[in-house]
Amino acid sequence: AMRAYACKKVVVGLGGGHLEGMAARAAASRSQQPCSTSASGSRSRRREVLLGLGVAVVTSTSHPVTALPLAPLGPIERGDASGKATDLTVDQVKDLIYASLTDGQYFVNPQGLDTAIFADDCRFVDPTNDVTGLSRYLKALSLLFDSSVSQVSDVSLRVSGPAEIKGEYVLSGSLKFPWKPCIPPYRGFVTYTLDRQTNLIKEQEQTWSISAEEALKETFSPCKAK
């Protein structure tokens, strides 16, 4: 089993998504040399931890991409509809998103997200993953970032359409893995699409100033002691 690990690339993300596009880019950038079986003990240990958690795995062969959730995320949980804020204007939703990002820091701290403005079956998309279900997204977030040393800053939001809000932010910090990988500051861009009947957020789509491959490298980079 350990020999097989050396022939895989591991992508840390929220899980449950489709990574075909990333796999194609990664395959194009890799040489055709056989996989090495002499990886260092520390790097092998990191692979073991990630694979043990069930993160997304992109094989370096021509086999179909395997995308696994970061951990068993369970079914979509649906709460009481009365707890949803379905009588808000788009501007009011924007203000609550802003509070969730600035005060709540919800990209790195799931407790900071205002669940009343998101549909329970909301779809969350980023360069490495595609997760459907608010409860599943929150569970995945809780496994990723160390909120004590991670932050979201420079947040700006604007209403860009009758049912659309766009924003920018900067994210940095560390992940909750034993080797404490650092996430250097990068700029993110997010689009929220609202349901026209309820004004609940039905999709959150993010893009980043770094590529998915760069994010992969950071996953294996422990923070340097100051």
Side-chain angles (χ1 to χ4, degrees):
M2 283 301 297
R3 182 173 298 176
Y5 290 173
C7 297
K8 296 178 183 288
K9 267 198 171 183
V10 181
V11 181
V12 173
L14 300 181
H18 302 288
L19 304 178
E20 290 87 352
M22 180 180 174
R25 293 194 300 274
S29 64
R30 287 194 295 270
S31 69
Q32 300 302 313
Q33 296 179 354
C35 296
S36 172
T37 58
S38 60
S40 67
S42 61
R43 185 167 288 265
S44 295
R45 171 60 181 157
R46 294 170 199 172
R47 288 192 179 96
E48 287 182 73
V49 171
L50 291 170
L51 288 166
L53 287 170
V55 301
V57 175
V58 179
T59 64
S60 61
T61 69
S62 59
H63 294 155
V65 173
T66 301
L68 301 175
L70 181 65
L73 301 179
I76 298 175
E77 297 176 8
R78 299 182 184 276
D80 188 343
S82 64
K84 296 297 183 180
T86 58
D87 57 349
L88 301 178
T89 66
V90 179
D91 282 298
Q92 289 174 321
V93 174
K94 174 181 71 68
D95 291 342
L96 290 174
I97 295 172
Y98 185 82
S100 288
L101 286 171
T102 55
D103 299 333
Q105 297 280 298
Y106 88 81
F107 284 161
V108 297
N109 173 35
Q111 287 75 28
L113 183 145
D114 188 344
T115 58
I117 60 175
F118 285 82
D120 288 334
D121 58 356
C122 182
R123 181 184 178 194
F124 298 86
V125 184
D126 68 33
T128 61
N129 290 279
D130 189 335
V131 178
T132 297
L134 176 59
S135 62
R136 302 176 78 243
Y137 174 71
L138 292 174
K139 190 169 185 178
L141 276 183
S142 70
L143 299 169
L144 279 178
F145 290 99
D146 181 347
S147 60
S148 67
V149 293
S150 302
Q151 68 171 344
V152 182
S153 59
D154 295 340
V155 177
S156 65
L157 293 173
R158 63 183 177 86
V159 174
S160 52
E164 184 180 83
I165 298 167
K166 288 183 177 291
E168 296 185 25
Y169 60 91
V170 173
L171 189 149
S172 62
S174 179
L175 298 178
K176 288 183 177 179
F177 299 124
W179 58 95
K180 298 294 183 184
C182 271
I183 306 299
Y186 68 86
R187 183 163 293 280
F189 308 89
V190 58
T191 299
Y192 299 92
T193 303
L194 279 56
D195 182 282
R196 287 182 176 270
Q197 292 186 330
T198 64
N199 268 0
L200 293 176
I201 300 167
K202 66 178 184 179
E203 182 172 288
Q204 170 189 289
E205 182 175 7
Q206 294 172 274
T207 58
W208 303 330
S209 62
I210 59 173
S211 68
E213 289 81 0
E214 288 176 290
L216 167 64
K217 292 178 182 178
E218 291 168 1
T219 300
F220 288 97
S221 302
C223 292
K224 296 181 179 178
K226 295 183 179 179

